[in-house]
Amino acid sequence: MTPSTSPYEGTLALLHTSPVHIPVFEALRDEAHPGLGLRHLVAPDLLDRAREEGPAAVADDVRRLLGEAAAAGAGAVLCTCSTIGAVAERTAVGVSVLRVDRPMAAAAVAAGSRVMVLATVESTLGPTVALVREEAAGRAVEVRTLLVEGAWDRFLAGDAEGYVRAVAEAADTVTDADVIVLAQASMAPAQQLTTATVPVLSSPRPGLAAAAAAAAATAALGSTRAGRPPAAGGRPAPPGPATG
């Protein structure tokens, strides 16, 4: 697919719980959505508290951060943390709020009825399983989980290579599944290392694509209200030459 080069892609805010996600999403933006402006919000404490007290414990802080992003002009907001994704998605701030793993979950249930969810943080398992079942929309689906023991300690220690290798090795052990879901955005590079014989899905690329579309829709709406009709494909046309 040819990337869009429209200057009216809009602005997207991303809520991260680790700064390691910033270069990942910047690279994906440059590759597929070069007109999209990104604003990164990093709040590691949200994941720490959600792991200890449950995702609902951070709802007020998530609402504040997302509200600030919307007020600053973001056309949409993408939460890249699977543990708090459901909390973010339910937050009303006047613009679309998306969770990065929903498109991945939809692809998983389309791939088969036996889904294996891999995670390196236990608090991610429950929300991801719930999301997969939600996307199944009542269809029969068997969802199993596997926690990659010790991998998160490597992540916290800065051993990115060891972290990704541990995830890939865990994926390689999976049997009796139609598809493997890498529950956290940080696990995505394991797709390139695993030798699993079934599809292995990760969230950053499809999640960013969905959020980019939401931001573009907001930008198109704003341009139309400002008097610039949308161009073909739903994006606003560039302004005409300056006069006067």
Side-chain angles (χ1 to χ4, degrees):
M1 181 177 68
T2 303
S4 168
T5 56
S6 167
Y8 297 103
E9 285 280 4
T11 300
L12 174 67
L14 297 94
L15 177 59
H16 308 294
T17 53
S18 172
V20 303
H21 299 312
I22 294 176
V24 173
F25 284 92
E26 289 281 340
L28 287 174
R29 184 276 310 275
D30 293 345
E31 175 187 337
H33 313 282
L36 179 66
L38 298 184
R39 179 188 177 200
H40 300 280
L41 312 173
V42 183
D45 62 297
L46 294 180
L47 178 57
D48 295 338
R49 289 169 50 209
R51 292 180 66 191
E52 294 176 2
E53 306 171 39
V58 301
D60 288 344
D61 286 332
V62 168
R63 183 179 301 107
R64 174 181 57 80
L65 289 168
L66 300 189
E68 290 173 356
V77 186
L78 178 67
C79 178
T80 66
C81 176
S82 299
T83 296
I84 65 172
V87 171
E89 194 179 46
R90 291 194 297 265
T91 303
V93 293
V95 299
S96 296
V97 179
L98 301 89
R99 55 187 294 178
V100 72
D101 49 353
R102 184 171 288 282
M104 174 183 66
V109 297
S113 61
R114 300 177 301 168
V115 181
M116 174 63 80
V117 175
L118 266 63
T120 61
V121 175
E122 188 171 8
S123 61
T124 299
L125 291 173
T128 305
V129 169
L131 177 62
V132 171
R133 294 193 184 283
E134 181 181 333
E135 285 296 323
R139 287 173 287 165
V141 59
E142 176 190 358
V143 187
R144 292 182 293 141
T145 64
L146 175 61
L147 181 65
V148 187
E149 298 286 354
W152 191 246
D153 290 336
R154 296 184 182 184
F155 180 87
L156 294 177
D159 181 9
E161 181 179 347
Y163 174 72
V164 172
R165 187 172 59 250
V167 172
E169 291 173 353
D172 292 344
T173 69
V174 173
T175 58
D176 299 325
D178 297 318
V179 61
I180 298 171
V181 166
L182 303 180
Q184 296 147 243
S186 59
M187 303 167 74
Q191 280 182 298
Q192 309 305 317
L193 299 180
T194 180
T195 59
T197 57
V198 298
V200 178
L201 308 181
S202 65
S203 61
R205 185 179 296 276
L208 181 62
T218 299
L221 179 62
S223 295
T224 300
R225 288 174 173 173
R228 291 197 301 271
R235 290 185 171 83
T243 59

